[in-house]
């Protein structure tokens, strides 16, 4: 049986800030089972390795016997989280939210024991709030405090628009903690302000404030911006093993260490040993092979991971285009078909909106040439190779 001090070491590993460690120690001593929540907004159908960092931390709590709450922000997604945004974020429709939620349970199940996960939707309590409730909630925070948030502050000083409804987002997210009476909330460092609002609101409602534990943000494939579907630099948890393996192999040698630490949970000692091997001449590519294989194995199985590695090596022996490309017949009748439809129906993207985004980001090639026109048309009889990113190809025939 692991004692409280050992639990503290486990859950605090890799944390950027803990508000506060003393309170966390006291909670562990007082209660054998703590309520630990993390919020996920259904702004895209796929979770990615940035989310995986949070899920791994939840798994640590779960293994220690604590109650994990996977909170889906289906109500707050209608507002749009302004965190880190330089302009007002567009709202999502109920239909978009429902479509994005459909795949979450399976993806979360790749990491957590779903029989021990409590899945909650914040619409179940936020939809019940009356206008007077919103006004009462708004009275518990000040405009001055809101403008302490860096993104709001920068937009205000830059004379850029801030909608009043955006001020409600931190309050509503904070109210989730009140509704759930959470003991601990975890999130990325970009969520620090919102998580601390939850602490404040719990106090205002006469509750013991939650401990806030923030984790580092994982940079995406570009090595610069945080991993995000919006930036197109993500590695999806539900992507194919070959796709995940190939994307990991494309990250920089420098970024590789952070993936080992945050995605794989590699110890500081093991990281130091690997760095020493590289300094002595060990090829970092081989360490990246190990990283990619471990992540694919965690998401799928060891056998699938070994196969993905073998196919990756074989595929890239003679350049980036594989020798064998899957064929897809697109039946259009006598009507011209648009490239975004082809991308979706051939399975290259999950939706036409994702297809439009990839085209806008120069992430789609036709016969090796990038395209920028999302309305590009093809006619019956056309044949071509369509490529998404660096590793996904399909030979299309318009029938």
């Amino acid at each position: 049986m692991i004692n409280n001090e050992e639990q503290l070491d486990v859950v605090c590993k890799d944390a950027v800030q803990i508000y506060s460690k003393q309170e966390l120690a006291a909670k562990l001593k007082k209660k054998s089972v703590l309520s630990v929540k993390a919020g996920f907004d259904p702004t895209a159908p796929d979770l990615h390795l940035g989310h995986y960092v949070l899920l791994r931390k939840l798994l640590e709590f779960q293994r220690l016997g604590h109650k994990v709450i996977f909170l889906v922000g289906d109500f707050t997604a209608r507002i749009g989280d302004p965190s880190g945004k330089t302009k007002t974020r567009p709202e999502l429709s109920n239909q978009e939210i429902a479509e994005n939620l459909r795949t979450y349970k399976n993806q979360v199940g790749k990491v957590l024991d779903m029989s021990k996960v409590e899945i909650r939707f914040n619409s179940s309590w936020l939809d019940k709030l009356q206008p007077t409730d919103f006004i009462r909630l708004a009275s518990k925070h000040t405009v001055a405090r809101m403008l302490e948030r860096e993104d709001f502050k920068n937009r205000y000083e830059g004379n850029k628009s801030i909608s009043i409804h955006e001020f409600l987002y931190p309050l509503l997210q904070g109210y989730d903690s009140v509704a759930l009476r959470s003991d601990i909330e975890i999130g990325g460092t970009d969520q620090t302000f919102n998580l601390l609002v939850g602490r404040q609101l719990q106090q205002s409602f006469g509750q013991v404030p939650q401990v806030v534990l923030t984790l580092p943000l994982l940079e995406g494939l570009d090595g610069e911006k945080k991993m995000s579907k919006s930036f197109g630099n993500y590695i999806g948890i539900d992507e194919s093993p070959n796709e995940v393996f190939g994307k990991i192999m494309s990250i920089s040698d420098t970024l590789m260490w952070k993936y080992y630490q945050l995605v794989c949970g590699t110890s500081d000692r093991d990281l130091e040993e690997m760095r020493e091997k590289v300094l002595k001449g060990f090829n970092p590519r081989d360490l990246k092979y190990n990283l990619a294989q471990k992540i694919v194995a965690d998401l799928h199985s060891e056998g699938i991971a070994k196969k993905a590695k073998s196919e990756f090596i074989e595929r890239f022996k003679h350049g980036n285009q594989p020798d064998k490309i899957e064929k897809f017949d697109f039946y259009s009748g006598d009507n011209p078909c648009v490239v975004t439809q082809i991308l979706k129906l051939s399975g290259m993207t999950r939706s036409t909106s994702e297809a439009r985004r990839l085209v806008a980001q120069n992430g789609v090639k036709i016969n090796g040439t990038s395209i920028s026109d999302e309305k590009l048309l093809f006619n019956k009889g056309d044949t071509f190779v369509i490529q998404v990113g660096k590793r996904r190809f399909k030979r299309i025939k318009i029938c």
Side-chain angles (χ1 to χ4, degrees):
M1 182 71 176
I2 188 170
N3 61 41
N4 290 344
E5 188 173 333
E6 290 171 327
Q7 284 198 54
L8 198 62
D9 289 340
V10 170
V11 300
C12 291
K13 183 181 182 298
D14 297 327
V16 177
Q17 292 286 348
I18 304 168
Y19 305 88
S20 67
K21 193 169 183 177
Q22 291 80 5
E23 291 179 40
L24 178 56
K27 284 178 181 285
L28 288 169
K29 186 176 181 180
K30 185 176 181 180
K31 296 174 65 176
S32 59
V33 179
L34 297 175
S35 174
V36 186
K37 83 177 177 81
F40 297 79
D41 274 354
T43 51
D46 298 320
L47 299 174
H48 51 66
L49 291 189
H51 299 116
Y52 188 81
V53 174
L54 295 181
L55 293 174
R56 277 196 70 258
K57 183 57 67 177
L58 289 177
L59 178 62
E60 290 175 354
F61 278 107
Q62 190 177 68
R63 286 173 172 169
L64 292 170
H66 301 293
K67 182 174 74 172
V68 166
I69 301 175
F70 184 91
L71 176 63
V72 179
D74 57 328
F75 184 98
T76 41
R78 301 174 204 165
I79 297 176
D81 183 5
S83 298
K85 306 298 182 296
T86 58
K87 60 183 180 181
T88 301
R89 182 173 180 168
E91 299 177 26
L92 291 176
S93 68
N94 287 334
Q95 182 178 354
E96 288 174 315
I97 292 170
E99 289 176 357
N100 292 343
L101 282 174
R102 196 167 292 122
T103 62
Y104 272 27
K105 189 171 183 178
N106 178 60
Q107 294 174 69
V108 176
K110 290 177 179 288
V111 187
L112 300 176
D113 180 352
M114 295 306 293
S115 67
K116 299 178 181 178
V117 174
E118 184 176 326
I119 300 177
R120 302 292 298 271
F121 298 84
N122 66 4
S123 61
S124 63
W125 51 83
L126 294 180
D127 270 335
K128 297 175 182 177
L129 294 182
Q130 299 297 314
T132 52
D133 298 318
F134 277 98
I135 293 171
R136 190 175 297 114
L137 187 60
S139 72
K140 298 184 181 298
H141 215 67
T142 68
V143 172
R145 282 293 310 277
M146 284 294 182
L147 291 177
E148 289 175 4
R149 261 181 59 153
E150 186 176 0
D151 45 359
F152 284 154
K153 179 181 177 182
N154 291 341
R155 283 160 62 184
Y156 180 74
E157 292 178 350
N159 201 30
K160 294 181 180 178
S161 172
I162 304 174
S163 297
I164 291 176
H165 82 283
E166 291 183 89
F167 280 176
L168 291 175
Y169 189 97
L171 292 174
L172 294 174
Q173 182 175 326
Y175 188 76
D176 292 341
S177 297
V178 175
L180 293 170
R181 293 184 172 272
S182 57
D183 294 306
I184 303 171
E185 183 167 17
I186 68 171
T189 52
D190 59 338
Q191 291 293 312
T192 302
F193 184 93
N194 295 346
L195 304 184
L196 292 177
V197 170
R199 273 175 60 89
Q200 178 199 330
L201 288 180
Q202 283 180 311
Q203 285 181 301
S204 298
F205 281 86
Q207 297 180 12
V208 177
Q210 65 186 12
V211 169
V212 167
L213 190 151
T214 63
L215 297 171
L217 300 179
L218 185 70
E219 287 81 4
L221 300 176
D222 54 9
E224 297 177 3
K225 301 184 184 72
K226 74 171 184 176
M227 187 174 288
S228 169
K229 295 282 288 187
S230 301
F231 298 142
N233 65 353
Y234 66 96
I235 302 173
I237 289 176
D238 213 26
E239 289 187 277
S240 71
N242 286 354
E243 187 74 5
V244 172
F245 196 100
K247 283 187 174 183
I248 293 167
M249 291 302 298
S250 73
I251 66 174
S252 69
D253 293 348
T254 302
L255 187 57
M256 170 179 67
W257 305 117
K258 194 168 186 178
Y259 277 58
Y260 261 116
Q261 177 191 1
L262 297 180
V263 181
C264 298
T266 306
S267 69
D268 293 339
R269 180 178 178 179
D270 287 344
L271 282 172
E272 186 59 35
E273 288 179 358
M274 286 190 286
R275 286 192 174 98
E276 288 178 4
K277 288 175 66 175
V278 171
L279 290 174
K280 293 176 180 178
F282 191 83
N283 193 334
R285 178 202 61 196
D286 294 330
L287 287 175
K288 207 178 296 181
Y289 276 141
N290 294 339
L291 172 67
Q293 186 171 330
K294 177 168 177 49
I295 292 174
V296 173
D298 286 345
L299 294 176
H300 299 278
S301 72
E302 189 61 43
I304 289 174
K306 289 179 179 178
K307 183 180 178 183
K309 178 181 178 180
S310 175
E311 291 182 359
F312 176 88
I313 293 172
E314 183 65 27
R315 187 182 309 127
F316 287 90
K317 273 183 180 178
H318 308 292
N320 287 336
Q321 185 166 318
D323 295 329
K324 294 182 180 180
I325 300 177
E326 182 182 351
K327 296 179 181 179
F328 180 82
D329 293 337
F330 189 96
Y331 293 92
S332 65
D334 294 323
N335 300 317
C337 46
V338 67
V339 67
T340 50
Q341 288 179 313
I342 297 170
L343 285 164
K344 177 186 176 183
L345 294 178
S346 66
M348 298 292 275
T349 65
R350 292 181 179 273
S351 64
T352 52
S353 60
E354 181 185 3
R356 286 194 294 269
R357 183 171 65 249
L358 286 169
V359 171
Q361 295 168 346
N362 296 316
V364 178
K365 292 182 180 180
I366 302 293
N367 292 331
T369 302
S370 294
I371 62 170
S372 58
D373 183 5
E374 67 178 49
K375 297 181 180 180
L376 183 64
L377 296 175
F378 296 89
N379 298 298
K380 189 174 183 178
D382 288 343
T383 60
F384 51 90
V385 172
I386 193 166
Q387 177 183 350
V388 173
K390 295 181 179 180
R391 290 159 294 279
R392 299 178 65 193
F393 299 83
K394 199 158 283 191
R395 195 178 303 279
I396 306 294
K397 180 178 180 180
I398 308 299
C399 303

